[in-house]
Amino acid sequence: MKKTILSITAIATLAIGLIGCGGAKKDGSGAMSGGNAEKVYVAPGEHDEFYGFISGGFSGQLAVYGLPSGRLFKVIPVFSQDPEKAYGYNEETKPMLNTSYGFVPWDDAHHPDISQTNGELDGRWCFINGNNTPRIARIDLKTFETTEIIEIPNSAGNHSSSFVTENTEYVVAGTRFSVPVPQRDMPIDEYKGNFKGALSFISVDQEDGGMDLSFQILMPGFDYDLAHPGRGASHGWFFFTTYNSEEAHTLMEVNASQNDKDFIAAINWKKAEEYIKEGKFKTMPANYAHNVYDEHTHTATSTMKKEVRALDPAECPGLVYFLPTPKSPHGCDVDPSGEYIVGNGKLSANLTIHSFTKMLEAIKNEKFAGEAYGIPVLNFEDVLAGTVVQPGLGPLHTEFDDKGNAYTTFFISSEVVKWKLGTWEVLDRKPTYYSVGHLMIPAGNSRKPSGKYLVAMNKITKDRYLPTGPELCQSAQLYDISGDKMELLLDFPTIGEPHYAAGCSADLIKEQQTKIYKLEENKHAWVAKNEKEAKVTRNGKEVHIQMTMIRSHFAPDNIEGIKVGDKVYFHVTNLEQDFDVPHGFAMIGANTSELLIMPGQTESFVWEPKQPGVWPMYCTDFCSALHQEMQGYVRVSPAGSNIELSWSLDGE
């Protein structure tokens, strides 16, 4: 019997490899062999070991995958409307997408990061940036819902964000494009010396995660690309790559690549706190939205803020230093010890690693090569820790494992390269398919990374999947990094264009999950906590329907007295108090999404009937054997008719 079972297991494993990977090599070797398929197989009913939070890029969303399976669990709408969940469509969440430019239901989401305590991931919140209309969002990992979005003033192209300090004191947001600060009409050819790049430090409340724009540092008019916090000995510092130190504004590909070196900006945010405390800041007028979702009222509010505190590095000695790094750097990555800062010059054949200890020594001894707009520039040789010689073409991003190794992506040569911290020796390389950008090791940007898996996020996928016309999905590829050599285990398609990802142990998050909203804690302004509280009220042409839903009926389920020209608000409460029993709600003719309402939650939408008739409403989420019977009608009479409001409860 045992032999039979083993044979079945072997056949099943081989089948997984063939079905999922297009067939293994005959000799059983290769990245997608049956053995590797077994490593990513998660049996029915079993759970993945890690959560992977992968940015949706131009979709404005955050996608949640299981690792190692590559299964998509959820798409969290952040900077985009989502008809599945009614986010940005229902009245409660529309304020989340408010900005100083008005309602902006789209953005370009790039870099998620998970909250930390003592330099280790704590699984409380995930932060992600909106790039086009500069914003930072906070996702509550108890509910996997966006609960806060703060707009960033004086910024343009919010790219070098969101990255958190090792106790989640701050989330940073650095501008990609320098702009006039404050914004004003001026000739573009007066860019040099007049434009500024704002680096924003957003404080995070340690109890509830609430964000506040604490201060901005107004930097020279370079472009600010990516960032990472110091940790360990370098805690209290933040490091940003900068390019276009030429301050070019035309033919950027050529003109912003003239200087032999650009910079890593080292920001002493502990020193910034001292300057703020001493009052050495300027209060600048600003206009930016701060949007917060209240889990008790189930409603978001949007507040416009009107000022921001700004620091000028030229007037704040010790606040900022420039570390020269090979031209046009992209990634800026700090190893788990906090000693090494990797700056990847896209046009360099080598990887350059800076030393935090040497940086402090050079600052102490004032070994400066000069200054830029009042900011000291350190000597390149004085801060150099080492060089990885000719590891690949087009270096972008680096992450770290728990064994003292680093892994860097190379966009042009389409590969991931493993190298040793301290000796700078290349240990291994594996191809990606194709044109890899970011990579992620679960907790790889913390003091305690995992050393099990690496996820590479690729820009091109032609021939990897079934073709779907001119537009193809992007992809992620999963590598086993537990041994001396990397092994490619799995490809899986991704939502949007993945830029970066954050990953952590599933055990850190899954036991904290909110399973229902308790009805007794529901403080929504229009909640009906039981069917007897359901009712319909009129105020002029505005009608409010407080409705309940439970398997398998609405209360009220038949409503009369609505008239053409009315503005009808449906406020629908899901009375279920059982895990995983949502209900949906849709009304024919409503110019919005359906609602998807979790147990104990209240959501609303507006319906403006245009013609008389009897119009159906129904549950859109399959909830029971009698789901089809979960329906009702609304009678609409002509404008000016004298039909009084009436409704039925419990079959009345």
Side-chain angles (χ1 to χ4, degrees):
M1 179 63 72
K2 184 178 292 186
K3 289 183 179 179
T4 303
I5 293 171
L6 288 174
S7 298
I8 292 171
T9 302
I11 292 169
T13 300
L14 180 58
I16 293 163
L18 292 172
I19 294 170
C21 313
K25 292 184 179 179
K26 289 182 179 179
D27 62 2
S29 65
M32 307 311 284
S33 67
N36 284 348
E38 186 177 16
K39 291 179 182 179
V40 302
Y41 178 65
V42 177
E46 297 296 321
H47 290 180
D48 280 276
E49 187 176 356
F50 296 94
Y51 282 104
F53 299 89
I54 300 182
S55 68
F58 43 69
S59 77
Q61 301 167 328
L62 181 65
V64 184
Y65 292 86
L67 301 175
S69 73
R71 298 180 295 188
L72 175 63
F73 293 148
K74 187 167 186 175
V75 175
I76 303 172
V78 185
F79 305 110
S80 60
Q81 292 177 296
D82 182 4
E84 179 186 0
K85 303 169 189 67
Y87 179 87
Y89 288 103
N90 64 33
E91 296 303 298
E92 286 77 10
T93 58
K94 283 181 181 177
M96 294 297 288
L97 298 173
N98 189 41
T99 75
S100 62
Y101 305 95
F103 183 73
V104 182
W106 173 88
D107 216 317
D108 185 18
H110 277 219
H111 305 120
D113 205 6
I114 297 171
S115 56
Q116 299 187 18
T117 300
N118 296 325
E120 297 182 20
L121 304 190
D122 59 30
R124 293 181 292 169
W125 309 298
C126 185
F127 302 88
I128 190 167
N129 60 322
N131 199 14
N132 181 64
T133 306
R135 289 176 276 185
I136 295 290
R138 176 173 59 88
I139 293 101
D140 189 332
L141 293 181
K142 295 194 304 296
T143 60
F144 280 62
E145 292 182 350
T146 304
T147 54
E148 189 172 11
I149 296 177
I150 189 167
E151 188 181 359
I152 310 300
N154 301 323
S155 187
N158 178 37
H159 190 252
S160 52
S161 57
S162 56
F163 300 106
V164 303
T165 56
E166 68 170 26
N167 284 299
T168 320
E169 297 97 337
Y170 295 101
V171 178
V172 303
T175 188
R176 172 182 172 185
F177 308 104
S178 288
V179 292
V181 178
Q183 273 286 11
R184 59 195 181 275
D185 179 17
M186 64 177 293
I188 296 173
D189 61 9
E190 294 180 12
Y191 177 119
K192 192 167 187 175
N194 291 311
F195 284 27
K196 296 289 184 183
L199 306 182
S200 303
F201 283 72
I202 301 160
S203 61
V204 181
D205 186 281
Q206 296 304 298
E207 294 300 319
D208 61 16
M211 298 188 294
D212 181 65
L213 179 51
S214 182
F215 60 88
Q216 293 184 317
I217 301 173
L218 297 183
M219 297 286 286
F222 309 153
D223 289 50
Y224 297 83
D225 203 355
L226 280 170
H228 262 90
R231 51 182 58 95
S234 56
H235 176 58
W237 291 78
F238 227 101
F239 303 94
F240 295 78
T241 48
T242 77
Y243 63 100
N244 190 26
S245 54
E246 298 84 354
E247 296 182 83
H249 61 276
T250 62
L251 294 174
M252 288 281 289
E253 184 179 3
V254 174
N255 292 332
S257 301
Q258 299 299 307
N259 294 340
D260 180 53
K261 289 183 173 62
D262 286 304
F263 301 118
I264 288 177
I267 311 294
N268 187 340
W269 58 261
K270 289 284 189 181
K271 179 68 72 173
E273 289 181 330
E274 292 177 12
Y275 282 124
I276 293 292
K277 190 175 181 179
E278 293 168 4
K280 294 184 178 179
F281 58 86
K282 295 178 181 177
T283 301
M284 296 180 58
N287 189 37
Y288 62 99
H290 187 188
N291 310 326
V292 180
Y293 181 85
D294 187 315
E295 65 177 14
H296 297 296
T297 64
H298 302 178
T299 302
T301 56
S302 180
T303 305
M304 296 305 297
K305 300 294 187 74
K306 296 299 182 182
E307 61 183 30
V308 64
R309 299 182 295 189
L311 295 172
D312 182 346
E315 299 174 3
C316 301
L319 178 61
V320 183
Y321 297 92
F322 281 139
L323 284 61
T325 204
K327 66 174 65 177
S328 297
H330 187 52
C332 181
D333 303 286
V334 180
D335 84 302
S337 74
E339 169 62 17
Y340 298 122
I341 305 119
V342 183
N344 296 338
K346 298 191 298 292
L347 302 180
S348 173
N350 300 331
L351 290 180
T352 299
I353 300 91
H354 303 278
S355 163
F356 178 72
T357 301
K358 288 186 174 182
M359 183 193 84
L360 291 185
E361 187 69 18
I363 292 171
K364 178 182 177 181
N365 294 321
E366 298 185 353
K367 291 186 174 181
F368 303 141
E371 58 86 29
Y373 294 102
I375 299 171
V377 178
L378 302 175
N379 285 300
F380 177 72
E381 294 78 11
D382 289 335
V383 297
L384 182 66
T387 303
V388 182
V389 179
Q390 296 186 332
L393 298 176
L396 293 183
H397 303 283
T398 301
E399 292 230 337
F400 308 91
D401 67 14
D402 57 348
K403 305 176 187 69
N405 302 311
Y407 301 76
T408 300
T409 54
F410 291 84
F411 180 81
I412 297 173
S413 53
S414 290
E415 59 185 333
V416 176
V417 174
K418 175 182 178 180
W419 50 278
K420 191 71 176 176
L421 288 164
T423 68
W424 324 122
E425 173 191 5
V426 172
L427 303 176
D428 190 26
R429 64 179 68 241
K430 282 291 183 293
T432 63
Y433 305 94
Y434 306 94
S435 297
V436 62
H438 274 283
L439 76 165
M440 179 271 284
I441 293 170
N445 62 340
S446 73
R447 279 178 144 186
K448 194 176 181 180
S450 165
K452 197 163 187 178
Y453 298 115
L454 178 152
V455 178
M457 285 150 277
N458 306 320
K459 306 300 184 185
I460 299 173
T461 58
K462 57 184 171 185
D463 81 21
R464 299 304 289 177
Y465 307 116
L466 290 172
T468 54
E471 182 183 6
L472 304 179
C473 63
Q474 278 78 31
S475 78
Q477 294 187 299
L478 182 76
Y479 293 78
D480 182 340
I481 59 170
S482 59
D484 292 336
K485 299 295 182 180
M486 295 179 281
E487 291 185 89
L488 176 58
L489 302 181
L490 180 71
D491 302 41
F492 56 95
T494 58
I495 299 291
E497 182 196 0
H499 285 264
Y500 187 49
C504 67
S505 167
D507 291 337
L508 199 61
I509 293 177
K510 66 181 182 180
E511 300 306 323
Q512 305 178 42
Q513 294 306 285
T514 297
K515 296 184 177 181
I516 64 170
Y517 294 97
K518 294 179 181 179
L519 269 174
E520 63 268 24
E521 295 178 1
N522 186 331
K523 297 179 181 178
H524 192 284
W526 296 96
V527 64
K529 295 186 179 181
N530 56 64
E531 292 185 4
K532 293 188 182 300
E533 294 182 6
K535 59 185 175 181
V536 185
T537 55
R538 175 182 289 278
N539 181 12
K541 289 190 174 183
E542 191 172 282
V543 178
H544 290 270
I545 301 172
Q546 290 171 262
M547 178 179 288
T548 66
M549 55 195 341
I550 195 166
R551 288 167 286 184
S552 293
H553 66 277
F554 300 114
D557 60 357
N558 288 290
I559 303 167
E560 299 190 26
I562 305 298
K563 304 170 188 178
V564 172
D566 283 344
K567 191 171 187 178
V568 183
Y569 288 83
F570 285 88
H571 307 287
V572 189
T573 302
N574 181 348
L575 296 182
E576 306 282 358
Q577 291 290 267
D578 189 13
F579 180 40
D580 198 24
V581 188
H583 287 293
F585 184 82
M587 181 73 221
I588 189 169
N591 296 327
T592 187
S593 166
E594 63 182 274
L595 300 180
L596 183 64
I597 310 166
M598 297 302 112
Q601 190 175 37
T602 302
E603 290 188 15
S604 309
F605 72 72
V606 177
W607 178 53
E608 298 184 65
K610 301 296 192 297
Q611 58 184 325
V614 179
W615 308 106
M617 57 190 176
Y618 69 102
C619 177
T620 59
D621 190 271
F622 199 96
C623 54
S624 73
L626 296 178
H627 166 71
Q628 291 294 93
E629 283 73 17
M630 194 167 175
Q631 65 180 54
Y633 290 98
V634 179
R635 175 186 173 187
V636 177
S637 301
S641 65
N642 58 3
I643 305 296
E644 294 295 325
L645 281 180
S646 64
W647 61 93
S648 62
L649 299 175
D650 294 327
E652 296 174 358

